[in-house]
Amino acid sequence: MAVERNNNSSHEFPMASGASPFSYKKNSVYQKRVVRATKQLMNAVVMEKLQVESLNIQREIFQITDMGCSTGPNTFISVQNIVESVELKFQNTTKTNDTKIPKIQVFFSDHSFNDFNTLFASLPMNKSYYAAAAVGSFYDRVFPDESLHIVNCSYGLHFLSKVPSEVEDKTSPAWNKGMVYYSHAKEEVIREYETQHEKDIYGLVFER
């Protein structure tokens, strides 16, 4: 049975809302370029790794999620790249057997304070999938076991589940003097961030 995780000490620091001039929606051109540039790689991975014949597809629904979707619009580009690759994979497979092309459902997942209103108000009109929200941190349990077929996370894993407690403790050698970054920080500070990163990644990969 998978181990449940619950980071009671974690805090939510959502992106600025979609209406803000400082929002991710209005300040993510660089990220958009990278998402577009990885389209061919995404397609190649789906075509190679997705074993359509052995999938457990309940009610003929193929489920995808984008973890850390923020307010868009980059999440829509990532999702569309995946959806197109999945559709192509199924189309190619149905030519050789009786596999049906399933309906595709996409869950846009982020913290509860994410601006989902802005996100869903800007959903593409010509989307070929069913959209839904899934609220929660990807460092906690968001979905049941074996309920997803593809999980995407772009520009999200560099966010830690929480600020290392030692860097906020004024009595600790790793106190970071209240700064929210660790560039040019002393070795003790960097070590605490590295340790927290290892804990988070270990939990994501091995506790699920």
Side-chain angles (χ1 to χ4, degrees):
M1 180 176 179
V3 177
E4 300 287 340
R5 300 189 71 205
N6 185 13
N7 293 323
N8 294 322
S9 58
S10 64
H11 301 283
E12 295 190 17
F13 299 97
M15 297 287 190
S17 67
S20 168
F22 305 107
S23 70
Y24 179 82
K25 179 180 180 181
K26 297 181 179 180
N27 297 274
S28 56
V29 174
Y30 173 79
Q31 291 89 332
K32 179 185 293 185
R33 291 173 181 168
V34 175
V35 170
R36 290 190 183 281
T38 57
K39 180 177 181 178
Q40 291 185 347
L41 177 61
M42 176 66 71
N43 181 265
V45 170
V46 171
M47 297 300 288
E48 177 184 354
K49 300 295 185 180
L50 183 61
Q51 302 299 319
V52 171
E53 300 85 349
S54 59
L55 285 178
N56 178 22
I57 302 181
Q58 299 181 4
R59 303 184 306 279
E60 297 182 4
I61 299 175
F62 190 95
Q63 299 191 138
I64 301 168
T65 185
D66 185 23
M67 308 297 287
C69 65
S70 191
T71 58
N74 293 346
T75 183
F76 301 132
I77 301 173
S78 293
V79 164
Q80 187 60 36
N81 290 345
I82 297 171
V83 169
E84 290 178 359
S85 297
V86 170
E87 290 176 338
L88 180 60
K89 178 70 174 184
F90 272 95
Q91 288 169 3
N92 290 345
T93 304
T94 55
K95 294 178 181 179
T96 57
N97 58 40
D98 295 328
T99 302
K100 293 183 179 180
I101 299 178
K103 298 179 178 64
I104 296 178
Q105 183 172 37
V106 176
F107 294 98
F108 294 94
S109 182
D110 213 315
H111 286 287
S112 58
F113 291 112
N114 185 57
D115 187 359
F116 284 101
N117 287 333
T118 295
L119 177 70
F120 283 97
S122 54
L123 271 170
M125 295 296 294
N126 60 342
K127 61 182 176 60
S128 60
Y129 54 85
Y130 295 89
V135 176
S137 167
F138 51 61
Y139 288 117
D140 291 325
R141 171 68 68 178
V142 181
F143 298 95
D145 289 349
E146 301 181 9
S147 60
L148 298 171
H149 298 98
I150 293 182
V151 177
N152 181 64
C153 185
S154 298
Y155 293 99
L157 290 179
H158 60 288
F159 287 99
L160 301 179
S161 65
K162 65 177 182 178
V163 178
S165 56
E166 293 294 317
V167 305
E168 295 185 307
D169 183 357
K170 293 184 178 180
T171 65
S172 169
W175 181 48
N176 203 25
K177 300 179 181 179
M179 294 183 291
V180 296
Y181 60 89
Y182 58 87
S183 298
H184 310 295
K186 54 186 178 181
E187 182 178 346
E188 291 84 353
V189 174
I190 296 175
R191 188 182 305 122
E192 288 297 324
Y193 276 101
E194 289 177 342
T195 300
Q196 185 62 51
H197 173 75
E198 290 174 359
K199 290 179 180 177
D200 288 342
I201 295 298
Y202 179 89
L204 280 175
V205 175
F206 297 105
E207 290 189 9
R208 294 309 171 94

